[in-house]
Amino acid sequence: MDRALAYGARCYRFESCRARQIMKIDQIYMAEALKEAKRAFELDEVAVGAVIVYKRQIVARAHNQTKLLRDPTAHAEMVALTQAANFLKSERLLSCTLYVTIEPCPMCAGALIWARIKRLVFGAADPKAGACGSVMDILGEKKLNHRVSVAKGVLAEECGSLISEFFQKQRALGKK
Ligand SMILES: [Zn+2]
């Protein structure tokens, strides 16, 4: 009995240790996505950044480019998905994790399913257009045949304040 308890305690410690480790790794990659979001901010694009990780290697890094490309689909996630697919020479990104500073919109959430992404980590929630739990929950839709594991709120404050600052700046300049 004592031994069982001790074993249980050890397992628990192991689990929480692993969870902490994953959280730390998530923060490291989210910091890379934030660098991309800051790049977008400087270029006057909506301040969202994304990276895709495959076997602990960043295989794509992108930010919003809708103005530069005059393309409403050029969200950070879409650009990153194309980059990763080219890098891995496959349209299926089965073992990849996508990190993005803001909760994906319906288009990007749909694209994550088409790409068969394994895991999504996002920073701040988007109460106006978020499709991963805020306005709707595409990745949680059980009728779709692909499951994406989702972690949210990683560096949420930094991610959220950058985009708020971006929209404040745009409003001040009379652009939005
Ligand atoms: Zn999007």
PDB file of all heavy atoms in Angstrom, residues 48 64 72-78 100 102-109 129, ligand 1:
ATOM      1  N   VAL A  48      -0.035  39.827 -36.337  1.00  0.00           N
ATOM      2  CA  VAL A  48      -0.177  38.413 -35.989  1.00  0.00           C
ATOM      3  C   VAL A  48       1.017  37.658 -36.578  1.00  0.00           C
ATOM      4  O   VAL A  48       1.398  37.894 -37.724  1.00  0.00           O
ATOM      5  CB  VAL A  48      -1.492  37.817 -36.565  1.00  0.00           C
ATOM      6  CG1 VAL A  48      -1.622  36.339 -36.172  1.00  0.00           C
ATOM      7  CG2 VAL A  48      -2.698  38.583 -36.064  1.00  0.00           C
ATOM      8  N   ASN A  64       1.225  38.160 -40.958  1.00  0.00           N
ATOM      9  CA  ASN A  64       0.178  38.580 -41.898  1.00  0.00           C
ATOM     10  C   ASN A  64       0.772  39.380 -43.054  1.00  0.00           C
ATOM     11  O   ASN A  64       1.630  40.231 -42.838  1.00  0.00           O
ATOM     12  CB  ASN A  64      -0.836  39.457 -41.158  1.00  0.00           C
ATOM     13  CG  ASN A  64      -2.052  38.667 -40.780  1.00  0.00           C
ATOM     14  OD1 ASN A  64      -1.939  37.481 -40.500  1.00  0.00           O
ATOM     15  ND2 ASN A  64      -3.205  39.292 -40.784  1.00  0.00           N
ATOM     16  N   PRO A  72      -6.638  38.677 -49.274  1.00  0.00           N
ATOM     17  CA  PRO A  72      -7.331  38.527 -47.982  1.00  0.00           C
ATOM     18  C   PRO A  72      -7.068  37.190 -47.303  1.00  0.00           C
ATOM     19  O   PRO A  72      -7.369  37.021 -46.124  1.00  0.00           O
ATOM     20  CB  PRO A  72      -8.814  38.667 -48.367  1.00  0.00           C
ATOM     21  CG  PRO A  72      -8.872  38.326 -49.809  1.00  0.00           C
ATOM     22  CD  PRO A  72      -7.561  38.758 -50.406  1.00  0.00           C
ATOM     23  N   THR A  73      -6.497  36.229 -48.020  1.00  0.00           N
ATOM     24  CA  THR A  73      -6.223  34.928 -47.399  1.00  0.00           C
ATOM     25  C   THR A  73      -4.796  34.843 -46.834  1.00  0.00           C
ATOM     26  O   THR A  73      -4.440  33.815 -46.254  1.00  0.00           O
ATOM     27  CB  THR A  73      -6.410  33.761 -48.405  1.00  0.00           C
ATOM     28  OG1 THR A  73      -5.351  33.791 -49.368  1.00  0.00           O
ATOM     29  CG2 THR A  73      -7.747  33.833 -49.119  1.00  0.00           C
ATOM     30  N   ALA A  74      -4.006  35.901 -46.984  1.00  0.00           N
ATOM     31  CA  ALA A  74      -2.597  35.824 -46.558  1.00  0.00           C
ATOM     32  C   ALA A  74      -2.435  36.069 -45.059  1.00  0.00           C
ATOM     33  O   ALA A  74      -1.625  36.891 -44.625  1.00  0.00           O
ATOM     34  CB  ALA A  74      -1.752  36.785 -47.381  1.00  0.00           C
ATOM     35  N   HIS A  75      -3.201  35.349 -44.264  1.00  0.00           N
ATOM     36  CA  HIS A  75      -3.037  35.401 -42.808  1.00  0.00           C
ATOM     37  C   HIS A  75      -1.753  34.665 -42.437  1.00  0.00           C
ATOM     38  O   HIS A  75      -1.296  33.787 -43.192  1.00  0.00           O
ATOM     39  CB  HIS A  75      -4.234  34.733 -42.113  1.00  0.00           C
ATOM     40  CG  HIS A  75      -5.484  35.555 -42.152  1.00  0.00           C
ATOM     41  ND1 HIS A  75      -6.630  35.220 -41.480  1.00  0.00           N
ATOM     42  CD2 HIS A  75      -5.745  36.723 -42.793  1.00  0.00           C
ATOM     43  CE1 HIS A  75      -7.556  36.141 -41.697  1.00  0.00           C
ATOM     44  NE2 HIS A  75      -7.051  37.053 -42.497  1.00  0.00           N
ATOM     45  N   ALA A  76      -1.206  34.995 -41.267  1.00  0.00           N
ATOM     46  CA  ALA A  76       0.061  34.391 -40.830  1.00  0.00           C
ATOM     47  C   ALA A  76       0.010  32.861 -40.900  1.00  0.00           C
ATOM     48  O   ALA A  76       0.943  32.213 -41.392  1.00  0.00           O
ATOM     49  CB  ALA A  76       0.362  34.841 -39.406  1.00  0.00           C
ATOM     50  N   GLU A  77      -1.111  32.283 -40.440  1.00  0.00           N
ATOM     51  CA  GLU A  77      -1.220  30.816 -40.406  1.00  0.00           C
ATOM     52  C   GLU A  77      -1.198  30.228 -41.817  1.00  0.00           C
ATOM     53  O   GLU A  77      -0.561  29.200 -42.063  1.00  0.00           O
ATOM     54  CB  GLU A  77      -2.541  30.394 -39.739  1.00  0.00           C
ATOM     55  CG  GLU A  77      -2.742  30.874 -38.315  1.00  0.00           C
ATOM     56  CD  GLU A  77      -3.534  32.170 -38.247  1.00  0.00           C
ATOM     57  OE1 GLU A  77      -3.197  33.114 -38.985  1.00  0.00           O
ATOM     58  OE2 GLU A  77      -4.476  32.245 -37.444  1.00  0.00           O
ATOM     59  N   MET A  78      -1.907  30.877 -42.759  1.00  0.00           N
ATOM     60  CA  MET A  78      -1.990  30.362 -44.128  1.00  0.00           C
ATOM     61  C   MET A  78      -0.613  30.390 -44.790  1.00  0.00           C
ATOM     62  O   MET A  78      -0.206  29.424 -45.448  1.00  0.00           O
ATOM     63  CB  MET A  78      -2.975  31.193 -44.961  1.00  0.00           C
ATOM     64  CG  MET A  78      -4.374  31.263 -44.394  1.00  0.00           C
ATOM     65  SD  MET A  78      -5.255  29.702 -44.418  1.00  0.00           S
ATOM     66  CE  MET A  78      -5.858  29.695 -46.092  1.00  0.00           C
ATOM     67  N   VAL A 100       0.592  30.343 -32.972  1.00  0.00           N
ATOM     68  CA  VAL A 100       0.147  31.618 -33.527  1.00  0.00           C
ATOM     69  C   VAL A 100      -0.257  32.541 -32.384  1.00  0.00           C
ATOM     70  O   VAL A 100      -0.811  32.088 -31.375  1.00  0.00           O
ATOM     71  CB  VAL A 100      -0.985  31.422 -34.576  1.00  0.00           C
ATOM     72  CG1 VAL A 100      -2.220  30.754 -33.985  1.00  0.00           C
ATOM     73  CG2 VAL A 100      -1.352  32.731 -35.247  1.00  0.00           C
ATOM     74  N   ILE A 102      -2.484  34.932 -32.117  1.00  0.00           N
ATOM     75  CA  ILE A 102      -3.917  35.198 -31.894  1.00  0.00           C
ATOM     76  C   ILE A 102      -4.744  33.982 -32.344  1.00  0.00           C
ATOM     77  O   ILE A 102      -4.374  33.296 -33.315  1.00  0.00           O
ATOM     78  CB  ILE A 102      -4.359  36.450 -32.700  1.00  0.00           C
ATOM     79  CG1 ILE A 102      -3.485  37.676 -32.366  1.00  0.00           C
ATOM     80  CG2 ILE A 102      -5.839  36.778 -32.489  1.00  0.00           C
ATOM     81  CD1 ILE A 102      -3.592  38.190 -30.942  1.00  0.00           C
ATOM     82  N   GLU A 103      -5.821  33.742 -31.671  1.00  0.00           N
ATOM     83  CA  GLU A 103      -6.713  32.624 -32.015  1.00  0.00           C
ATOM     84  C   GLU A 103      -7.076  32.643 -33.509  1.00  0.00           C
ATOM     85  O   GLU A 103      -7.486  33.675 -34.035  1.00  0.00           O
ATOM     86  CB  GLU A 103      -7.995  32.762 -31.186  1.00  0.00           C
ATOM     87  CG  GLU A 103      -9.022  31.671 -31.435  1.00  0.00           C
ATOM     88  CD  GLU A 103     -10.287  31.897 -30.594  1.00  0.00           C
ATOM     89  OE1 GLU A 103     -10.332  32.858 -29.788  1.00  0.00           O
ATOM     90  OE2 GLU A 103     -11.227  31.111 -30.765  1.00  0.00           O
ATOM     91  N   PRO A 104      -6.918  31.524 -34.208  1.00  0.00           N
ATOM     92  CA  PRO A 104      -7.215  31.480 -35.641  1.00  0.00           C
ATOM     93  C   PRO A 104      -8.685  31.794 -35.977  1.00  0.00           C
ATOM     94  O   PRO A 104      -9.592  31.494 -35.201  1.00  0.00           O
ATOM     95  CB  PRO A 104      -6.872  30.036 -36.024  1.00  0.00           C
ATOM     96  CG  PRO A 104      -5.843  29.617 -35.032  1.00  0.00           C
ATOM     97  CD  PRO A 104      -6.267  30.278 -33.743  1.00  0.00           C
ATOM     98  N   CYS A 105      -8.853  32.398 -37.164  1.00  0.00           N
ATOM     99  CA  CYS A 105     -10.187  32.721 -37.680  1.00  0.00           C
ATOM    100  C   CYS A 105     -10.785  31.456 -38.322  1.00  0.00           C
ATOM    101  O   CYS A 105     -10.106  30.434 -38.427  1.00  0.00           O
ATOM    102  CB  CYS A 105     -10.060  33.841 -38.710  1.00  0.00           C
ATOM    103  SG  CYS A 105      -9.308  33.293 -40.255  1.00  0.00           S
ATOM    104  N   PRO A 106     -12.045  31.506 -38.802  1.00  0.00           N
ATOM    105  CA  PRO A 106     -12.641  30.302 -39.416  1.00  0.00           C
ATOM    106  C   PRO A 106     -11.849  29.768 -40.615  1.00  0.00           C
ATOM    107  O   PRO A 106     -11.682  28.555 -40.767  1.00  0.00           O
ATOM    108  CB  PRO A 106     -14.025  30.794 -39.859  1.00  0.00           C
ATOM    109  CG  PRO A 106     -14.324  31.936 -38.945  1.00  0.00           C
ATOM    110  CD  PRO A 106     -13.017  32.604 -38.663  1.00  0.00           C
ATOM    111  N   MET A 107     -11.320  30.677 -41.450  1.00  0.00           N
ATOM    112  CA  MET A 107     -10.548  30.223 -42.617  1.00  0.00           C
ATOM    113  C   MET A 107      -9.301  29.447 -42.183  1.00  0.00           C
ATOM    114  O   MET A 107      -9.041  28.343 -42.686  1.00  0.00           O
ATOM    115  CB  MET A 107     -10.128  31.442 -43.458  1.00  0.00           C
ATOM    116  CG  MET A 107      -9.109  31.134 -44.534  1.00  0.00           C
ATOM    117  SD  MET A 107      -8.624  32.603 -45.471  1.00  0.00           S
ATOM    118  CE  MET A 107      -7.621  33.485 -44.257  1.00  0.00           C
ATOM    119  N   CYS A 108      -8.572  30.010 -41.239  1.00  0.00           N
ATOM    120  CA  CYS A 108      -7.318  29.374 -40.807  1.00  0.00           C
ATOM    121  C   CYS A 108      -7.587  28.087 -40.027  1.00  0.00           C
ATOM    122  O   CYS A 108      -6.860  27.102 -40.184  1.00  0.00           O
ATOM    123  CB  CYS A 108      -6.474  30.343 -39.991  1.00  0.00           C
ATOM    124  SG  CYS A 108      -5.898  31.742 -40.981  1.00  0.00           S
ATOM    125  N   ALA A 109      -8.625  28.098 -39.194  1.00  0.00           N
ATOM    126  CA  ALA A 109      -8.962  26.875 -38.453  1.00  0.00           C
ATOM    127  C   ALA A 109      -9.312  25.763 -39.444  1.00  0.00           C
ATOM    128  O   ALA A 109      -8.896  24.606 -39.281  1.00  0.00           O
ATOM    129  CB  ALA A 109     -10.122  27.142 -37.500  1.00  0.00           C
ATOM    130  N   ALA A 129     -13.449  37.239 -33.922  1.00  0.00           N
ATOM    131  CA  ALA A 129     -13.384  36.356 -35.097  1.00  0.00           C
ATOM    132  C   ALA A 129     -12.779  34.980 -34.794  1.00  0.00           C
ATOM    133  O   ALA A 129     -12.562  34.192 -35.707  1.00  0.00           O
ATOM    134  CB  ALA A 129     -12.578  37.035 -36.208  1.00  0.00           C
TER     135      ALA A 129
HETATM  136 ZN    ZN B   1      -7.017  33.573 -40.257  1.00  0.00          ZN
END
